[in-house]
Amino acid sequence: MDDDEFLDEVRRLLPGLVAAEDPALEVLEVVVVDDRPWPRVAVSFRLRGSPPAWWRGPTSGVAHAPFGADWRELMAFDVPEDYARMLEDEVTRAAMRLPGAPTPPPTAEQVRERWPWLLERLALSGPVVDQGDGRLRVTYDDREVTVVVTPEEWARIAEPYDELADDPQDFHPQRDEQRFLVFHEDRLTWSVREQLPPVHGLADLIRRGREARAQDSSTGWFAYAPLESPPRVEERDDEAARSHAEAHAEAHDELWASARGRSVAEVEEMLRDFAGTFAPYLRDIDVAFSARVMSDPRWGRKHPVAAVRLAWAHRDERSPYRSLRWLWRPRFAG
């Protein structure tokens, strides 16, 4: 399939995906633009109907994403369905910015004020060396990562989501191969390479998960059938225990790699299959909350009203305040 055919299929899929995620949004146009050194897709969208009385922002906007065939291959977005899901996420993200006033360029004073905060935050992970060329070297326990951002670029990102947070988790790569944190589209993104656009390095895991789902609609890539409990520990010998643990780790990695960008319903189904084999202790509340942040780590921030409703619906099992805090900054054990 060439680029034109690929884009035509994305154009067919994207409006339905966006409408399913947020019925208030409508996709208008999907075109390729050449406003970067690499090709990008521009998705024009608008709000359906009349905005509420309190609305003060624009009612239409544009979302962007890289489109080069080489980049799509490196990111495992070489299938129109997966690329369209990624675009749906970008449209939702762009729509969340509509109500706010345009951010003016940072002043020289703001650049000076905000740069030390980034250095201090990175220093929580290890020694930081400012090379003065738009690169910061951060030495972790057993490796070194490079943050590619200038003081002016960082000032455009402005303040972190949680100004009181003092942990460095936002600056921790998901995988060992991700040794670069690069400034891209007004945010910092982990990448396996310094050049733009960034590449997350999860393509192999995503493709394995995709192939497994294609072979078995129940995502049967676990050691046991879905909803079937694994053998009790005392009933297995050491070799079986080790094999089960290895299968658990591999399945867990594939689950996380495959979940990002998928619909909440799909991830919930995947989680239930996983729980039936490896985590029978998972409750409905665990599945409901985990599926949302696995699909989109910023789900709670992007859907605050839905987050409140979800937290309230499970108030008998967990404090709504605690649930909301978890959705805002999710934590996972193990």
Side-chain angles (χ1 to χ4, degrees):
M1 166 181 308
D2 62 22
D3 284 353
D4 290 339
E5 294 171 329
F6 187 95
L7 191 59
D8 285 342
E9 182 65 9
V10 170
R11 289 189 179 111
R12 185 186 69 82
L13 294 168
L14 184 60
L17 291 173
V18 171
E21 176 68 19
D22 192 338
L25 295 177
E26 179 183 9
V27 172
L28 301 177
E29 187 179 36
V30 182
V31 298
V32 177
V33 295
D34 294 318
D35 57 352
R36 291 288 191 275
W38 55 89
R40 292 202 302 172
V41 157
V43 182
S44 302
F45 64 91
R46 69 181 177 190
L47 302 180
R48 294 179 185 270
S50 301
W54 52 265
W55 189 270
R56 295 294 181 269
T59 58
S60 62
V62 181
H64 296 91
F67 185 67
D70 57 342
W71 183 83
R72 300 197 311 261
E73 179 73 19
L74 291 171
M75 293 286 286
F77 290 145
D78 48 340
V79 175
E81 290 83 354
D82 290 343
Y83 188 83
R85 287 192 183 95
M86 181 273 297
L87 279 183
E88 179 272 316
D89 184 63
E90 294 300 326
V91 170
T92 304
R93 193 194 309 271
M96 289 293 292
R97 295 194 294 264
L98 286 180
T103 303
T107 65
E109 182 180 359
Q110 288 173 327
V111 172
R112 289 193 299 270
E113 289 177 348
R114 294 171 182 176
W115 188 244
W117 184 93
L118 175 62
L119 299 179
E120 292 171 4
R121 183 71 175 248
L122 290 171
L124 294 175
S125 298
V128 179
V129 176
D130 186 349
Q131 297 188 176
D133 60 353
R135 292 169 177 79
L136 302 171
R137 303 285 184 181
V138 184
T139 304
Y140 286 70
D141 293 336
D142 56 351
R143 60 178 169 162
E144 184 179 79
V145 300
T146 301
V147 183
V148 185
V149 63
T150 66
E152 291 75 18
E153 289 171 338
W154 171 252
R156 287 164 56 186
I157 299 177
E159 299 297 329
Y161 280 107
D162 184 356
E163 297 181 14
L164 300 180
D166 60 357
D167 63 282
Q169 74 171 33
D170 292 344
F171 300 105
H172 276 182
Q174 298 173 329
R175 300 177 64 81
D176 290 342
E177 302 94 312
Q178 296 175 338
R179 295 180 177 268
F180 298 94
L181 186 58
V182 298
F183 179 82
H184 178 64
E185 305 295 357
D186 287 339
R187 61 181 184 263
L188 290 178
T189 303
W190 281 105
S191 178
V192 299
R193 64 183 189 179
E194 182 173 340
Q195 63 267 37
L196 297 176
V199 173
H200 54 43
L202 300 173
D204 288 344
L205 281 175
I206 293 174
R207 287 194 178 94
R208 288 206 300 270
R210 190 161 64 203
E211 291 169 1
R213 287 192 301 275
Q215 294 172 3
D216 185 345
S217 60
S218 65
T219 64
W221 28 282
F222 303 116
Y224 303 93
L227 304 181
E228 175 187 333
S229 298
R232 294 172 57 87
V233 173
E234 58 268 24
E235 295 173 355
R236 292 186 266 123
D237 57 25
D238 292 341
E239 173 106 15
R242 281 194 299 271
S243 297
H244 183 71
E246 291 171 0
H248 179 286
E250 182 177 354
H252 180 272
D253 289 345
E254 292 196 8
L255 175 68
W256 270 91
S258 302
R260 182 66 180 270
R262 298 196 172 278
S263 71
V264 170
E266 286 180 298
V267 182
E268 284 184 343
E269 182 179 353
M270 295 163 65
L271 266 173
R272 290 191 179 95
D273 288 343
F274 179 85
T277 301
F278 297 109
Y281 49 81
L282 285 183
R283 303 165 296 170
D284 287 343
I285 184 175
D286 301 319
V287 171
F289 281 72
S290 297
R292 282 160 175 80
V293 298
M294 289 171 69
S295 172
D296 182 350
R298 295 184 177 180
W299 184 90
R301 306 179 194 276
K302 291 164 60 175
H303 305 281
V305 176
V308 171
R309 289 174 177 166
L310 183 67
W312 183 252
H314 291 277
R315 62 189 181 277
D316 293 337
E317 298 172 275
R318 186 164 61 198
S319 158
Y321 177 69
R322 181 183 172 194
S323 293
L324 288 172
R325 283 194 307 169
W326 188 90
L327 282 171
W328 190 257
R329 185 174 290 277
R331 299 286 199 278
F332 290 92

